Amino acid sequence: MGIKDGVLLARVTAPPVAGRANKALRQMIAKRIGIAPSRVSVVQGEKSRNKVVRVEGVGATALEQALRDPDG
């Protein structure tokens, strides 16, 4: 997971079947940030490789820092 040109790049191993890949992405982001997965949602691109996610309760600067820092 990393950020390039302001875009989060992430890979999950879960298959894109029955929402498993989206769930894995939400869990991966939540774990990195230290919040509950229920606070991360896919708001656009549920069936696409490119997605827009919303993270509740975390400011943009803190979010970007947590996603850039491999130690969270």
Side-chain angles (χ1 to χ4, degrees):
M1 182 183 309
I3 295 179
K4 182 177 180 183
D5 298 328
V7 175
L8 174 66
L9 303 174
R11 287 186 188 215
V12 296
T13 57
V17 176
R20 291 183 198 164
N22 290 337
K23 181 177 179 181
L25 177 65
R26 290 175 45 238
Q27 289 174 331
M28 182 170 48
I29 291 170
K31 183 175 182 180
R32 175 68 71 93
I33 300 169
I35 63 172
S38 61
R39 292 176 53 194
V40 180
S41 58
V42 176
V43 295
Q44 186 176 357
E46 285 189 4
K47 296 184 182 208
S48 172
R49 292 176 65 99
N50 298 320
K51 302 179 184 307
V52 176
V53 297
R54 175 180 295 135
V55 179
E56 296 178 29
V58 180
T61 303
L63 176 62
E64 187 171 339
Q65 181 61 36
L67 292 172
R68 283 186 188 276
D69 183 1
D71 297 325

